[in-house]
Amino acid sequence: MATTGLPESISSDLSRVTQSLQMLAPRWNVWVLLTMSEKPLRYREIKGALPWLPDGQLHPRLVRLVDSGLLERTEFEPQDVLYGLSVRGRELLPVLGVIATWGGRHLEKETVLDPATGHRVPKAVPRAQDVEDTIALIAPRQATPILWALRIRGTSSAKALAATAMPDRHLTNVYEPLNRLAEDFLVTKDREGRVELTAAGRDLAPVYRALSAWAAGAPLTEAASHPVWAPEPEQPRDRPAMWAATQPRIPAVLTTQTRATWKPGDPFFSDTTTVIRPAGAAATGGRTR
């Protein structure tokens, strides 16, 4: 269990949630699980539903999902194997639905021309992609501990945040994950270096409540009483909503772009470094998918 400065009960809960995210985070795992959401499938049927995954990528994922207890494997003959969701896997489906809802609401989307209206509208995104892209934002090391610490502390300095989220590591280690969370519009930093959750970050509450309940083996109906992410009164939004960013999932022509970075001792962004972004990414919308 990762060391935090949080109370033991909250730290244990956080550890279960981060372990659950790590189980789901490998690319295409969610696609594999949702492919079997309606009924068990034979290997050849799964392969037909996910044709972009060759045997060398699909089979190891199935093995790991079986080992993690999310899938069950029934072998009739060496070339006739049936895979289906386990009880824990089926219990996970409503949680994935909550995650997909957040992704559909907050993740940046390409637009396409609607021939009926002549207007550009957000491009439809598969439910599995919404889930996978959301997990890609909150699964990286230290991302979720920082978000939980900010939920508890409210507005915080980086130093106080590091002491809460990662007390066993040097203060400077907090800046890289904070920069990433800021780029993904989950946290915001002012010129005095104070950090707080954005509206999109606060809206992760249902996601973390659902993950916490599932990881503890509790029904989702008990999730509303979560000690950290319990529902809070509706607050008026005094600034335009911004898309949260997500890593691209398809090959793209790459271009270089400079972005500001946050360095230890700086009150705000003060230096630049070159990063890779897909060509055509919106200047104010973060990485497109």
Side-chain angles (χ1 to χ4, degrees):
M1 182 174 70
T3 302
T4 71
L6 300 171
E8 183 177 352
S9 60
I10 294 177
S11 187
S12 297
D13 184 18
L14 172 61
S15 179
R16 289 192 295 267
V17 169
T18 54
Q19 289 172 9
S20 299
L21 287 169
Q22 292 305 311
M23 187 189 309
L24 297 171
R27 192 177 182 186
W28 308 122
N29 272 11
V30 171
W31 286 81
V32 171
L33 291 171
L34 290 181
T35 296
M36 286 168 276
S37 61
E38 294 186 3
K39 63 179 182 179
L41 297 173
R42 284 176 162 74
Y43 182 88
R44 61 180 179 272
E45 295 173 311
I46 302 171
K47 186 175 179 180
L50 304 172
W52 57 87
L53 278 179
D55 289 335
Q57 293 187 36
L58 176 57
H59 186 262
R61 280 167 176 75
L62 292 170
V63 170
R64 285 193 291 270
L65 290 170
V66 170
D67 290 342
S68 68
L70 297 180
L71 292 182
E72 295 176 338
R73 179 183 187 275
T74 303
E75 182 174 338
F76 299 100
E77 297 178 7
Q79 300 300 319
D80 187 10
V81 179
L82 185 71
Y83 291 91
L85 295 176
S86 65
V87 172
R88 287 292 283 159
R90 289 193 298 273
E91 292 172 345
L92 182 62
L93 292 179
V95 179
L96 298 182
V98 174
I99 299 173
T101 297
W102 187 94
R105 179 178 180 183
H106 290 287
L107 291 179
E108 186 178 26
K109 302 173 182 67
E110 298 177 7
T111 60
V112 294
L113 187 65
D114 182 352
T117 64
H119 299 147
R120 298 195 69 82
V121 297
K123 183 179 180 180
V125 176
R127 182 167 172 260
Q129 194 69 56
D130 272 331
V131 177
E132 190 170 86
D133 288 344
T134 299
I135 291 174
L137 297 183
I138 61 177
R141 182 175 175 84
Q142 304 302 338
T144 282
I146 288 173
L147 293 171
W148 281 47
L150 271 178
R151 172 74 173 200
I152 293 170
R153 297 187 61 88
T155 304
S156 175
S157 67
K159 181 177 180 180
L161 190 58
T164 303
M166 42 199 298
D168 59 336
R169 307 188 69 191
H170 193 274
L171 167 64
T172 55
N173 288 310
V174 79
Y175 294 107
E176 181 179 350
L178 268 179
N179 276 328
R180 183 178 61 245
L181 290 169
E183 290 170 3
D184 293 337
F185 302 112
L186 296 179
V187 307
T188 183
K189 297 174 284 189
D190 64 21
R191 294 187 178 278
E192 285 70 47
R194 306 282 292 181
V195 190
E196 64 178 342
L197 294 174
T198 63
R202 294 192 299 272
D203 282 350
L204 282 167
V207 171
Y208 282 131
R209 290 199 300 265
L211 281 167
S212 173
W214 179 82
L220 296 192
T221 53
E222 298 181 7
S225 61
H226 195 275
V228 175
W229 295 95
E232 56 185 8
E234 189 72 22
Q235 298 292 329
R237 302 192 178 188
D238 56 359
R239 65 185 68 178
M242 299 191 72
W243 291 113
T246 180
Q247 294 287 354
R249 294 303 197 195
I250 57 175
V253 178
L254 299 180
T255 61
T256 59
Q257 178 171 328
T258 55
R259 62 165 169 81
T261 59
W262 193 14
K263 296 171 59 180
D266 290 347
F268 196 59
F269 296 121
S270 66
D271 197 3
T272 58
T273 185
T274 300
V275 297
I276 302 297
R277 296 180 62 181
T284 59
R287 294 184 294 273
T288 56
R289 58 176 169 180

